[in-house]
Amino acid sequence: MQTYRIYFLLLALFMLGCSDDTGDLQNTKEDFPNVDANYSLLVQSNEVLSLINLDADAETIFLDPGISEFEGISFPSVTYRDGNEISIFNAQTDCSGRISLYDFKNDALQKTIVFDDLGNCDLIVRALAHSENTFYVGYEVPGGGAKETLYYIRIIDTSTSVAEFVDIELAKRPLQAVFSNNHVYILSEDIEDENKNALIVFDTGMGELVADINLGFDVQRLFKSDDENIIVSYPELHHIISSTTMAISATIRYGDGKEPGFGDSESSFYDDVGNLYYSMPTNFSGTSYPNIPAVYDFETNTAFLYYYENFLSEQEQLVEFEIGDTSMVSYDAKNNLILIGYQKSGDPGKGGLLRVRPIPNPAFIDNIDLNGVPFQMYTN
């Protein structure tokens, strides 16, 4: 494989964004470390989410046979990831729900039963966030009138022996929640106003809603930046909203055909300097894959795209690894490696993990086949 050829192709063709500066991701060292690392990987198979542990360094990767506290659960409809913790909501057969909070770093699992007071089988959870001992759950239930729907954010305090909660009614349907700087930011839509989007803000110190910010239309997703601000993603731009003033501090517009597409990714990962690793939709432009690995540098507003065709041979793509689609992208900071989770083309219930050196020396390192499709991972 001609590494220098791949490098120039990436620089010439795959740098997207508004800045003419080519940028410089932190993970561009010429000398690569070789350090022992552990990967905790959540995988999906047959609608069940389970955990696989892997041990690795810069040259090898293998399964860790150790037992984890994480319990296999039905694949959830709503999750929330913040650092080394992930919270997962699952509906229960008795119409209640359960939130599983898993700490990747310490291999600790906490389970909390929720909504057992309502017994409403028509309840739909649409948003979830957490901070320390508190969960924030955005949900909807049918109202008393015909076609009436009520929306709430439930704040659940788990610091006591019996969890306590309070419901706060919302005027709009919650879609997603993010916790930052003692506030819960709730992306919502107004069903009665052509699904116009808004950002509802709940102040955890005051215990009340403090803002309802008009976001217009077509918001895709909220992200929390490495400096605790809120990124509001649209197809053609993103806003940065200050988590202290709740005002838009910057708007980054993309050039036509240079949209980074991170707003379409439900699974993403930030490294220590704020680069976002995600799966980018391609519309099959320049590739045979619907989604490819990507890294977005918010400092230079530049997207770095990793087309499989540029670091794997056709034999490796189609036969050896059977790559069907990208399911997850992460980063091993200890060994300066991009971690690419993918779904097998021949069996949608199986997948694998590729490890690749990043720009400016992109190169395939190794692969491990997995009994499941990578969903989220933590590197330690």
Side-chain angles (χ1 to χ4, degrees):
M1 179 175 60
Q2 295 176 309
T3 302
Y4 68 89
R5 178 174 176 269
I6 296 172
Y7 172 45
F8 284 113
L9 278 172
L10 283 165
L11 286 182
L13 300 178
F14 308 143
M15 285 189 175
L16 307 181
C18 299
S19 173
D20 291 332
D21 184 356
T22 56
D24 184 18
L25 292 177
Q26 178 173 314
N27 48 12
T28 58
K29 302 175 184 177
E30 292 294 335
D31 53 330
F32 295 106
N34 189 353
V35 180
D36 290 341
N38 308 109
Y39 306 153
S40 295
L41 182 62
L42 289 176
V43 298
Q44 175 191 3
S45 181
N46 298 321
E47 298 302 318
V48 174
L49 198 63
S50 57
L51 187 129
I52 294 174
N53 287 312
L54 303 169
D55 293 324
D57 55 26
E59 298 176 350
T60 59
I61 183 171
F62 52 90
L63 290 172
D64 183 334
I67 299 174
S68 169
E69 289 295 315
F70 187 87
E71 301 173 355
I73 58 175
S74 299
F75 190 77
S77 57
V78 183
T79 64
Y80 178 73
R81 173 80 181 270
D82 191 0
N84 59 283
E85 292 183 331
I86 185 170
S87 50
I88 300 167
F89 174 83
N90 286 101
Q92 303 297 292
T93 55
D94 63 356
C95 302
S96 68
R98 184 181 72 180
I99 298 177
S100 301
L101 177 66
Y102 181 67
D103 184 334
F104 287 99
K105 184 177 182 179
N106 299 303
D107 187 33
L109 179 67
Q110 169 191 327
K111 295 180 288 186
T112 303
I113 296 297
V114 295
F115 300 121
D116 54 334
D117 59 302
L118 296 180
N120 191 331
C121 294
D122 294 320
L123 180 149
I124 301 175
V125 169
R126 296 192 176 275
L128 173 66
H130 68 256
S131 66
E132 296 183 352
N133 298 313
T134 308
F135 295 113
Y136 309 93
V137 188
Y139 70 97
E140 67 178 56
V141 290
K147 298 184 179 180
E148 180 186 16
T149 303
L150 302 177
Y151 309 113
Y152 297 93
I153 180 80
R154 174 169 287 201
I155 296 92
I156 306 167
D157 181 1
T158 63
S159 62
T160 57
S161 57
V162 178
E164 300 177 349
F165 67 87
V166 60
D167 284 324
I168 296 178
E169 189 168 2
L170 305 175
K172 305 175 181 69
R173 170 182 285 169
L175 300 178
Q176 185 198 352
V178 172
F179 178 86
S180 180
N181 198 17
N182 297 319
H183 292 86
V184 182
Y185 294 84
I186 307 163
L187 175 63
S188 63
E189 63 179 350
D190 191 338
I191 303 301
E192 297 180 357
D193 190 7
E194 300 180 317
N195 295 344
K196 179 184 288 187
N197 295 120
L199 190 62
I200 300 173
V201 184
F202 175 78
D203 187 308
T204 61
M206 299 173 63
E208 61 185 40
L209 302 175
V210 294
D212 190 333
I213 304 168
N214 179 17
L215 296 178
F217 297 94
D218 300 326
V219 175
Q220 296 174 304
R221 196 162 184 82
L222 301 182
F223 297 86
K224 181 169 66 172
S225 68
D226 63 318
D227 55 2
E228 299 290 310
N229 290 323
I230 302 300
I231 298 168
V232 183
S233 174
Y234 299 78
E236 73 284 356
L237 60 86
H238 68 264
H239 293 312
I240 298 177
I241 295 181
S242 169
S243 61
T244 55
T245 66
M246 288 177 281
I248 296 176
S249 60
T251 296
I252 309 301
R253 296 186 179 276
Y254 318 129
D256 188 27
K258 296 183 178 181
E259 299 85 356
F262 57 77
D264 291 310
S265 178
E266 294 187 7
S267 176
S268 57
F269 169 79
Y270 277 105
D271 66 17
D272 291 340
V273 296
N275 297 316
L276 183 70
Y277 296 74
Y278 64 102
S279 174
M280 175 185 172
T282 66
N283 294 320
F284 297 100
S285 176
T287 180
S288 59
Y289 298 95
N291 297 277
I292 60 170
V295 184
Y296 191 81
D297 180 353
F298 283 96
E299 183 175 348
T300 62
N301 296 313
T302 304
F304 297 79
L305 312 185
Y306 289 79
Y307 285 73
Y308 291 106
E309 290 87 348
N310 286 323
F311 58 85
L312 294 177
S313 69
E314 185 174 352
Q315 172 75 13
E316 289 171 326
Q317 296 173 61
L318 302 180
V319 180
E320 189 172 347
F321 306 143
E322 296 182 273
I323 296 174
D325 196 11
T326 307
S327 64
M328 178 222 74
V329 186
S330 191
Y331 178 60
D332 176 357
K334 289 183 177 179
N335 293 293
N336 191 28
L337 295 175
I338 294 178
L339 311 174
I340 303 168
Y342 65 91
Q343 183 180 46
K344 295 277 188 180
S345 57
D347 187 343
K350 295 185 181 297
L353 185 71
L354 294 169
R355 302 198 302 165
V356 178
R357 291 217 185 280
I359 294 171
N361 297 299
F364 166 69
I365 300 300
D366 56 19
N367 169 82
I368 185 168
D369 291 329
L370 301 169
N371 187 27
V373 180
F375 173 67
Q376 287 270 9
M377 77 177 301
Y378 174 78
T379 62
N380 190 11

